[in-house]
Amino acid sequence: MKVIEVNNLRKEYAISKRKVKENGKKYLFKREKSIKNAVDGISFDVEEGETLAFIGPNGAGKSTTIKMLTGILFPTAGDVKVLGINPSKDRIKLSYQIGSVFGQKEQLWVHLSAYENFKFFGSIYDIKKKDLDERIEELSTVFDIKDFMYQPVKSLSLGQRMKCEMVASLLHKPKMMFFDEPTIGLDPIAKETLRNLIKKINKEFGTTIFFTSHDVGDIEEVCKRVIIINNGKIVLDDSMKNLKYHYLNKKIVEVNLKKNVKLEVKDGIKVLKSKDTVYKIEVDMNKTTMNELMGLFDADDIQDITISSTPLEDIIKDIYRRNDA
């Protein structure tokens, strides 16, 4: 069953700027208008129960698309259906069937406790008292928040608050959840906890996940399908498995040693930069392994090591290069 159907979706904005004279100077009062295609004729479907990453660089059209999917913005052209509902025509009806969590935007009242917030949101969604109490009990157990859900939200850590944000968004049993940068600012342990909880609600509740993030780790851990958008157009729609093989096969390793060493050249291991005792190395996981890399160092010489994925912007550039080729 398709829960999202998007066909030739377009959103245009009129941009006004000061008019330029022939000599390159700008007029003081005269202005000229141009049209910007924030979303430029995209089409895609999402099946029930999918975990989809909808990603791209800043200004690519992600947020504009999500706002049209949730009814916040009206499209300039094209058709959209979410759970069989046209968002721009029946936003209120749709709001009872979807939930959202934004890493950079709080929905909880910070001076109230999380529990008081849950009661408040329950009344907004017209949930009966008995059903709401049962739902709060169920979700507070799943998300392990009972120890702090009676504290004011402003006193909670970021990781604790994000758990409570998720509970608040799930109270009305939404069929679909929109996540926008939910792990931003979290420490590695809190990130991993939140990722596991998102996977859990998908598996146990059957909730469809629509996920945006600049953190490649989020995408790898949570999603099974990826759509990449750039300049308002879809440049890739593929499985996470294929994306990993073709584009996420390289890791960046930074090693700080106690002394300078001369690294042995091996296929799949490339030294990008070395300064004093710090080495930045690119590792192609299709050609070698981390064990092979670590075999180049004496374990006693390693002072610090960090491993990261290729930045999302670099992945998109690589996709463009391959498409051009």
Side-chain angles (χ1 to χ4, degrees):
M1 174 184 170
K2 294 177 181 178
V3 292
I4 294 181
E5 298 172 78
V6 175
N7 183 35
N8 199 28
L9 185 63
R10 185 180 301 275
K11 182 63 180 177
E12 297 176 352
Y13 290 106
I15 300 173
S16 179
K17 60 182 179 180
R18 281 197 288 172
K19 194 172 181 179
V20 180
K21 298 179 183 180
E22 289 184 2
N23 59 9
K25 294 183 179 180
K26 293 182 179 179
Y27 286 99
L28 184 59
F29 298 108
K30 291 184 179 180
R31 304 186 74 83
E32 56 186 2
K33 290 185 178 181
S34 61
I35 300 299
K36 174 180 172 57
N37 292 315
V39 175
D40 195 4
I42 65 172
S43 301
F44 65 92
D45 296 330
V46 179
E47 296 290 332
E48 183 179 15
E50 267 199 273
T51 50
L52 169 71
F54 191 76
I55 60 176
N58 291 328
K62 302 188 304 296
S63 296
T64 302
T65 302
I66 292 172
K67 287 175 181 176
M68 288 190 284
L69 291 176
T70 53
I72 297 171
L73 285 178
F74 285 19
T76 304
D79 299 310
V80 183
K81 280 190 178 180
V82 179
L83 298 166
I85 299 168
N86 185 325
S88 59
K89 291 183 178 179
D90 210 342
R91 184 185 172 194
I92 293 176
K93 182 179 178 182
L94 179 63
S95 68
Y96 280 80
Q97 299 192 50
I98 63 173
S100 60
V101 174
F102 298 92
Q104 294 178 302
K105 186 177 179 182
E106 296 178 348
Q107 64 178 331
L108 301 178
W109 294 86
V110 295
H111 296 291
L112 300 179
S113 68
Y115 178 77
E116 290 169 329
N117 272 282
F118 301 155
K119 300 291 277 189
F120 172 71
F121 281 106
S123 65
I124 289 178
Y125 287 110
D126 303 319
I127 305 173
K128 294 179 180 178
K129 183 180 182 305
K130 181 176 179 294
D131 294 338
L132 179 60
D133 290 340
E134 290 177 355
R135 186 64 169 166
I136 292 173
E137 174 64 25
E138 177 189 17
L139 292 173
S140 62
T141 300
V142 170
F143 285 81
D144 192 23
I145 64 170
K146 289 185 177 180
D147 289 344
F148 52 82
M149 73 175 184
Y150 296 101
Q151 300 175 25
V153 171
K154 65 180 179 180
S155 70
L156 302 180
S157 70
L158 182 56
Q160 291 171 332
R161 181 179 67 78
M162 290 307 299
K163 281 187 175 185
C164 293
E165 292 273 356
M166 289 181 65
V167 170
S169 297
L170 290 165
L171 290 171
H172 58 297
K173 298 183 179 180
K175 296 177 181 177
M176 169 170 288
M177 285 288 294
F178 290 89
F179 290 95
D180 188 3
E181 301 281 358
T183 66
I184 191 166
L186 297 180
D187 63 73
I189 295 175
K191 276 188 179 185
E192 188 63 27
T193 300
L194 206 64
R195 290 167 181 167
N196 288 335
L197 288 171
I198 294 171
K199 289 188 287 185
K200 190 170 186 176
I201 64 174
N202 170 252
K203 184 178 180 180
E204 296 188 8
F205 302 151
T207 310
T208 304
I209 305 297
F210 194 98
F211 194 97
T212 72
S213 178
H214 281 92
D215 188 327
V216 175
D218 287 346
I219 300 158
E220 285 187 273
E221 286 288 323
V222 173
C223 302
K224 292 185 178 178
R225 177 184 165 202
V226 180
I227 291 177
I228 296 180
I229 185 172
N230 197 19
N231 296 323
K233 294 180 180 289
I234 290 175
V235 296
L236 182 80
D237 184 351
D238 208 344
S239 69
M240 189 70 235
K241 183 178 180 181
N242 285 342
L243 188 75
K244 278 184 177 181
Y245 182 80
H246 293 292
Y247 301 105
L248 298 180
N249 47 20
K250 293 179 181 177
K251 300 291 182 182
I252 305 299
V253 180
E254 291 194 26
V255 185
N256 189 356
L257 303 174
K258 293 178 181 177
K259 60 184 180 182
N260 288 318
V261 298
K262 186 175 181 180
L263 294 180
E264 180 184 348
V265 177
K266 286 199 172 187
D267 190 27
I269 297 175
K270 179 181 179 183
V271 178
L272 301 177
K273 187 191 296 184
S274 64
K275 184 178 180 181
D276 298 328
T277 60
V278 179
Y279 298 82
K280 187 175 183 180
I281 303 165
E282 182 184 82
V283 183
D284 189 336
M285 303 301 289
N286 286 339
K287 297 179 179 178
T288 188
T289 64
M290 282 295 171
N291 285 337
E292 285 282 336
L293 173 65
M294 299 313 296
L296 302 179
F297 304 106
D298 186 333
D300 293 334
D301 286 340
I302 299 175
Q303 296 189 103
D304 189 26
I305 183 168
T306 59
I307 301 173
S308 58
S309 299
T310 306
L312 184 59
E313 287 75 11
D314 291 350
I315 294 171
I316 293 172
K317 288 177 185 176
D318 192 23
I319 291 170
Y320 271 124
R321 280 195 294 268
R322 295 189 188 199
N323 287 343
D324 289 341

